[in-house]
Amino acid sequence: PVVLMGKVISSGERLLRSGNPRGDFLAGMALSILLVGLSGAAAWAAVALFNLLPFWFSFIATAALASTTLATRGLLDAVRRIEAPLRAGNLAVARQKLAHIVGRETAELNHDKVLRASLESLSESTCDGIVAPLFYLFLGGVPLAMAYKAVSTLDSMIGYRTERYFYFGKFAARLDDAANFLPARLTACFIVIATLALRLHPARAVRIAWRDHANHLSPNAGYPEAALAGALGIRLGGPSIYFGKTIDKPYLGDDLTPVRIGMLKEGRVLCLVTAMLSLAIFALLSTARG
């Protein structure tokens, strides 16, 4: 589904973006509303069709469709693909792999900044790719989760503050901010709880998340990033280059310990435990509601 969404967005941009600020904003809004609506409607129709079939087939097909809204394995694998060349001393390949999951320019990043950028992306994507889809699966089933996936895909493709997308992607970016408002805060809470199971630093994670969550250009991403920074005792954020322009982002967390390659594995485990925890909580809530 995400591949199809991407093709619709690319085609829509070619047809609709004109360079006129007002026209681009309205065109981007129309494209966003259309894609979100179509994604939710298509998922609803698919689930309705599945329900006409035998129960076992309907259950498997619906679960398979729901799984496409989650990115747990893809996220963990993406971080592994960065870790492997770093351990082999191949910084150039690690930069290339990092460029697949971040919006910043990676060509000039040193070893330390590659590690920090990987952990930032891991924490933010724990919300976008895991907790938020589960949250919307809980609220409205596969159709709502697929609609959220469309919102997230729109933001990842056109929701940039660049000259090209400033107006065309503005509605998509604001829609993504609204959709992630609750999931981002829930993700920070789940990360804090997960630190208990991993014997990290839950009190520090809470303190840093509360103190530094606003130190981010996004109204939402600061929550999971700050929670992860507190859990590991590191500092994230800081100046980065986006589309040729240096952005002086504030820092999140305290620089209590040097960032290490091993923290990529710790971060992945923390992400996985957070995913399992959120799945368990939403499943229990769904059962209780049922």
Side-chain angles (χ1 to χ4, degrees):
V2 175
V3 174
L4 293 175
M5 291 174 191
K7 290 182 178 180
V8 171
I9 295 168
S10 296
S11 298
E13 181 187 352
R14 286 195 300 271
L15 291 171
L16 300 174
R17 192 174 66 83
S18 64
N20 176 269
R22 179 179 174 81
D24 279 355
F25 175 77
L26 293 175
M29 180 172 66
L31 176 62
S32 299
I33 293 173
L34 178 65
L35 181 63
V36 173
L38 284 176
S39 299
W44 179 86
V47 172
L49 177 63
F50 296 156
N51 287 337
L52 299 176
L53 303 172
F55 173 77
W56 65 269
F57 184 87
S58 174
F59 177 82
I60 293 173
T62 302
L65 185 59
S67 72
T68 66
T69 67
L70 301 171
T72 310
R73 181 174 180 178
L75 175 59
L76 299 179
D77 286 346
V79 177
R80 286 192 189 96
R81 286 192 287 269
I82 298 168
E83 180 181 359
L86 281 179
R87 290 191 179 279
N90 196 332
L91 181 59
V93 173
R95 289 168 176 165
Q96 293 173 4
K97 300 300 182 182
L98 175 65
H100 295 163
I101 62 171
V102 299
R104 74 192 68 185
E105 295 181 14
T106 64
E108 302 300 324
L109 296 183
N110 60 26
H111 184 275
D112 183 84
K113 290 185 177 180
V114 168
L115 287 173
R116 294 180 194 275
S118 301
L119 291 169
E120 286 179 36
S121 182
L122 177 64
S123 57
E124 183 178 359
S125 297
T126 299
C127 173
D128 299 347
I130 302 173
V131 177
L134 285 172
F135 174 75
Y136 286 106
L137 277 169
F138 164 69
L139 283 186
V142 178
L144 192 57
M146 197 65 71
Y148 168 80
K149 201 66 180 178
V151 172
S152 182
T153 305
L154 281 160
D155 181 66
S156 68
M157 292 185 66
I158 64 174
Y160 295 104
R161 299 181 184 183
T162 61
E163 183 178 352
R164 178 174 179 174
Y165 293 123
F166 187 81
Y167 294 102
F168 188 72
K170 180 173 286 189
F171 183 84
R174 297 297 175 267
L175 189 61
D176 183 77
D177 289 343
N180 281 305
F181 183 85
L182 285 176
R185 288 148 180 81
L186 288 172
T187 302
C189 292
F190 293 150
I191 288 175
V192 169
I193 297 172
T195 60
L196 291 169
L198 300 177
R199 297 182 179 180
L200 292 173
H201 301 278
R204 190 170 64 203
V206 170
R207 180 172 60 83
I208 298 300
W210 180 261
R211 189 192 72 187
D212 293 349
H213 68 268
N215 292 353
H216 201 286
L217 297 177
S218 164
N220 299 315
Y223 282 91
E225 286 189 24
L228 180 73
L232 298 179
I234 59 176
R235 189 172 66 175
L236 300 176
S240 297
I241 300 176
Y242 291 86
F243 304 100
K245 183 178 179 181
T246 300
I247 304 297
D248 291 320
K249 301 194 307 183
Y251 289 102
L252 300 93
D254 297 323
D255 202 8
L256 301 177
T257 182
V259 64
R260 299 172 282 100
I261 291 182
M263 287 183 177
L264 293 182
K265 182 176 181 180
E266 292 177 345
R268 291 200 309 272
V269 174
L270 184 60
C271 169
L272 183 59
V273 173
T274 300
M276 296 169 64
L277 177 65
S278 58
L279 174 61
I281 290 176
F282 289 134
L284 288 173
L285 290 174
S286 182
T287 301
R289 182 178 62 184

